[in-house]
Amino acid sequence: MTRIYTDACIPLYGRDRETWADFGLPRILDALNISPDAPRKVLAESLPFSLNDTTAGAENELQTLVAGSAETVDFPLYIRDSNYYQNLLKRASVGENSRRPLLDLRDFLYSSAEQIWENSWVRFPESRLSAYARKVMEQDLRADKSKTDSPGRSDREKYFFTSYGRKHIRIPVSYLLKLALADLIQPDSGIHPALRAVGEKLTGHFLNDNTSPETFSFCPVSLTRKNGMGKAIARETLKRCLLTQLLAMYANRKFGLTETGQKVLICFSPHTPVRQKKLSTLISDSFYRELFMSPCLSGWDRGEDKHRYMHLCHQVLSRSQLHSVSKLREAGIISRNLVVLPSLSNVSLANNGTHISLGSRRLTQVLGNADSGFDATDEKYMGDLLIKIMEHFLPLFVGTFSADPFRLDFSDLSEKVFSFQFCDELDLPLSGAMIWRRWKKRQI
């Protein structure tokens, strides 16, 4: 369960009624037309996020795979042509390093009977894209998409290469889905203008800011008894996932992926693939980031900034595993001086899953009324209070409502969990929010 710490909720705890008045809670209740002295049933029905007032949206992080041989799929080809792999070859050939790292990595690339490559990118001729899809990609390759005169991203050339005299595109599957939708709704495709307008809006719901592709609800869903409560958001999620599957099938055919030995597959998978975990133990953490950190082409105006932030997050988490050894030794958990240093690379950002966001029609309505005295800060206070209430009670139901329980073995417990616990919490280093704030100020 994700824990969210906010300064806004601190005044709500351990304070008397006078402090609450200073905080402004009576003013907020008055703006929402809520009477604390009303009968319990009336009070409950008047509160934000109560029955018939709550809306929900879902964000799904999916698992992508590309099926094909090591000679046709981008992932093994990229590793084979990388400086990392070439350096292993050179050092092994002159006897500078052991041949074991090279042999292990080569075995990973060429001994896979399934020929499935999780989180691989894809490559195909640029000519396969429609004019409109190319326009969308050009827009996403700007350094700042909010500015029409913005220059291109500094890593622009990373997404293009030339093979046999033809210009090719190389992109992650998460961005492929957006391009497939853009290609499908091109102006000269004969699609109805109303459908095309909807399609243009939906392209923004296919994100590309993490290892796993993310899609989020096309519209909020009312959680009412008539709609089936949670079944309503489940239906919306399934429709969105169906569209995702159709876009993957369209891309396989339209962009010529299948005929070049690449077949994109997308599925639900709450756990990191076993082979990706294995690879993280065979390569350096910097090369892992090069392979798996999303370029953030879709979803952010300044995609490179977001990419560098994700890069920094993984770097901090990787180094925490090394620092954990000394912390575990100091705590007495490691009782001997002889220890095996953990692999610095980890799969912590491959966080497939489903996130639910709740909304309140009452808060939306009063926030839109300029005369109510209710502003965005008040909305945040109410939202933070709800988060605190949910976080307080949810641990009581772990194991009851968990969709996919996962048991940790001893090595995961000692190398992963303890490293985050000792280094990322007890020592209070840079949290995710602090990293983001300091990154924006260029302090780190």
Side-chain angles (χ1 to χ4, degrees), residues 61-73:
E61 296 166 330
L62 306 174
Q63 179 63 58
T64 66
L65 314 96
V66 179
S69 72
E71 304 299 330
T72 58
V73 177

Side-chain angles (χ1 to χ4, degrees), residues 2 24 46 51 55 66 103 116 161 174 183 201 231 248 291 323 355 375 423 439:
T2 302
S46 65
L51 185 63
T55 60
V66 179
L103 295 177
I116 296 292
F161 69 96
S174 53
D183 189 272
K201 181 180 179 180
K231 292 181 180 179
L291 290 173
H323 299 326
H355 306 267
D375 57 22
C423 292
W439 170 254

Side-chain angles (χ1 to χ4, degrees), residues 169 175 257 295 318 320:
I169 292 175
Y175 188 65
L257 298 178
S318 297
S320 71

Side-chain angles (χ1 to χ4, degrees), residues 28-43:
I28 294 177
L29 295 178
D30 183 64
L32 293 171
N33 196 26
I34 297 174
S35 174
D37 299 324
R40 290 184 179 182
K41 182 178 180 181
V42 176
L43 176 61

Side-chain angles (χ1 to χ4, degrees), residues 418-433:
F418 282 168
S419 67
F420 296 144
Q421 181 73 22
F422 275 83
C423 292
D424 297 339
E425 293 184 7
L426 298 186
D427 257 9
L428 298 179
L430 298 181
S431 66

Side-chain angles (χ1 to χ4, degrees), residues 339-377:
V339 297
V340 178
L341 291 178
S343 170
L344 292 186
S345 184
N346 69 81
V347 296
S348 57
L349 296 183
N351 54 339
N352 299 353
T354 298
H355 306 267
I356 305 295
S357 298
L358 299 180
S360 166
R361 294 185 182 277
R362 187 180 300 272
L363 291 184
T364 301
Q365 181 181 13
V366 71
L367 187 63
N369 182 5
D371 298 328
S372 67
F374 189 88
D375 57 22
T377 303

